[in-house]
Amino acid sequence: MAAAHLLAASASSSSTAAFRPPLRLRSSAHPPHLRLSRTGRRTFPVVRAAETDAKDGAAKPKAPEKAPAGSGSSFNQLLGIKGAKQESDIWKIRLQLTKPVTWPPLIWGVLCGAAASGNFHWTVEDVTKSIVCMIMSGPCLTGYTQTINDWYDRDIDAINEPYRPIPSGAISENEVITQIWVLLLAGLGLGALLDAWAGHDFPIIFYLAVGGSLLSYIYSAPPLKLKQNGWIGNFALGASYISLPWWAGQALFGTLTPDIVVLTTLYSIAGLGIAIVNDFKSIEGDRTLGLQSLPVAFGMETAKWICVGAIDITQLSVAGYLLSTGKLYYALALVGLTIPQVVCQFQYFLKDPVKYDVKYQASAQPFFVLGLLVTALATSH
């Protein structure tokens, strides 16, 4: 719900330095002025994170106007992942900033929570409620999270991915800030609507939305900027993608119990491991700007094993918990779903976490998310 990115396997989860030099408007012989584009949309002076005035001595390279590959994919652009085609359509750019590829884990989390409640029924009303909750968690609040993350990552994106919408100047500062507020208010509004719809005396879904939004903000923004710390930042990311949407789905149809809170928080450790996967491709920019991601802090070799250990040990621990509560078949199913993940780790990730990150996540994560559903079904009985 808050954050950011477990299928951000496909999405680039950039990192930010603790210090950022002041941004400058592009210098020119004449002061910047507002103008109308060919589409009639008024454009604003663009803040380009990677540019400096000529008199400053070109401290940073100018962000290229286009992605490295001229034949970028329109599909990648709509999903908000690397290899995207450069777009001039403002609505496609807005969609790209929300990184739709990162929505499915949140949507799946809502589904798991609904299943765990034991009270979801395939009626028109229950299906509609769940869809509204998924829209709140995915397009609205995850879109808010991804947009605000890109906003605060604009300097490091100028190093790692200078062709992204914000550092390249494809979208203006005012347009980005407007998008952040619209998505945030829409998500909070849907949370309040769901509480009223469910007849809650205490607006638990609204407060979960507020908490997730706050977590997203302090993850990306100074002065806390949780992502500067590899352990805290990645755990916060894992909790946002697993615990919060699960809690929202379960609270919508049933009662959020302490044992579920503990179990999903434990699962967030696995989310920490999955979040680390995305840190390897940003290691150059992180190291340059002094960001202590786990691959930077421990080195790639050690960070690889921390990553797979967090994912595998967590799932085996949950399987042990299910076994201890008499859910033998669910525990065996979870172990069975963990084995192919381990195979993929040795086949792809442990060989080269940068080269094979997409292949690994595409191969292993379906088994992980199915394990979440198995756990949800086990807790509902």
Side-chain angles (χ1 to χ4, degrees):
M1 176 181 302
H5 334 279
L6 284 181
L7 283 184
S10 310
S12 304
S13 175
S14 305
S15 309
T16 309
F19 171 79
R20 174 182 296 117
L23 298 176
R24 300 178 184 270
L25 292 175
R26 297 184 67 181
S27 59
S28 61
H30 304 285
H33 58 277
L34 299 180
R35 62 189 183 279
L36 291 178
S37 67
R38 286 178 296 177
T39 62
R41 183 173 61 86
R42 188 173 67 171
T43 59
F44 295 86
V46 175
V47 176
R48 295 182 184 272
E51 296 183 1
T52 60
D53 289 329
K55 65 182 181 181
D56 290 338
K60 291 183 182 180
K62 179 179 176 180
E65 297 297 328
K66 294 185 178 181
S71 58
S73 166
S74 297
F75 183 70
N76 286 13
Q77 190 274 330
L78 292 176
L79 289 180
I81 61 179
K82 283 185 176 180
K85 176 184 177 182
Q86 289 295 103
E87 270 291 347
S88 58
D89 186 318
I90 186 60
W91 294 106
K92 290 183 178 180
I93 293 170
R94 288 188 183 281
L95 182 63
Q96 181 181 1
L97 279 177
T98 67
K99 294 191 182 77
V101 75
T102 63
W103 301 349
L106 286 293
I107 292 171
W108 189 261
V110 171
L111 176 63
C112 289
S117 72
N119 294 321
F120 175 83
H121 304 287
W122 289 101
T123 63
V124 173
E125 182 178 8
D126 280 4
V127 170
T128 305
K129 281 183 182 177
S130 64
I131 290 174
V132 172
C133 192
M134 290 172 183
I135 293 172
M136 176 193 73
S137 302
C140 292
L141 294 181
T142 305
Y144 154 79
T145 296
Q146 296 295 347
T147 305
I148 199 171
N149 184 67
D150 269 21
W151 173 247
Y152 284 106
D153 274 0
R154 60 195 185 276
D155 282 347
I156 199 166
D157 279 347
I159 297 174
N160 292 330
E161 299 174 89
Y163 43 84
R164 285 195 59 77
I166 296 176
S168 71
I171 185 170
S172 73
E173 173 182 348
N174 287 1
E175 289 167 329
V176 175
I177 292 173
T178 298
Q179 175 161 319
I180 289 170
W181 278 106
V182 168
L183 292 172
L184 173 61
L185 294 177
L188 297 180
L190 289 179
L193 171 66
L194 288 169
D195 279 316
W197 197 347
H200 291 158
D201 294 327
F202 178 79
I204 184 170
I205 299 176
F206 174 77
Y207 280 112
L208 286 173
V210 170
S213 303
L214 178 61
L215 185 60
S216 293
Y217 179 79
I218 65 175
Y219 173 81
S220 299
L224 295 180
K225 197 183 285 289
L226 299 181
K227 66 190 303 177
Q228 290 182 115
N229 183 295
W231 292 108
I232 298 175
N234 285 327
F235 182 78
L237 195 61
S240 320
Y241 274 82
I242 295 177
S243 298
L244 289 175
W246 183 314
W247 296 350
Q250 182 150 352
L252 181 59
F253 294 102
T255 303
L256 188 58
T257 56
D259 59 322
I260 289 296
V261 172
V262 172
L263 188 61
T264 51
T265 302
L266 177 63
Y267 243 122
S268 297
I269 298 175
L272 177 150
I274 294 175
I276 296 171
V277 174
N278 296 309
D279 289 338
F280 289 93
K281 59 178 173 282
S282 300
I283 192 168
E284 179 183 347
D286 292 350
R287 186 181 286 120
T288 299
L289 296 177
L291 186 67
Q292 289 298 300
S293 65
L294 293 183
V296 171
F298 292 95
M300 290 187 66
E301 195 63 30
T302 301
K304 287 191 299 187
W305 289 100
I306 293 174
C307 177
V308 299
I311 295 170
D312 299 341
I313 293 173
T314 296
Q315 292 178 93
L316 294 176
S317 299
V318 173
Y321 168 79
L322 295 179
L323 182 62
S324 70
T325 57
K327 309 292 176 56
L328 172 62
Y329 294 113
Y330 288 103
L332 291 176
L334 186 55
V335 171
L337 289 168
T338 304
I339 292 173
Q341 295 176 62
V342 175
V343 172
C344 292
Q345 288 162 1
F346 279 94
Q347 185 176 0
Y348 297 118
F349 183 73
L350 292 173
K351 286 183 179 179
D352 190 333
V354 177
K355 180 179 179 180
Y356 295 117
D357 70 324
V358 174
K359 279 189 176 180
Y360 163 65
Q361 296 196 70
S363 303
Q365 285 193 8
F367 296 102
F368 177 80
V369 297
L370 285 174
L372 282 173
L373 184 58
V374 166
T375 304
L377 293 172
T379 58
S380 69
H381 292 83

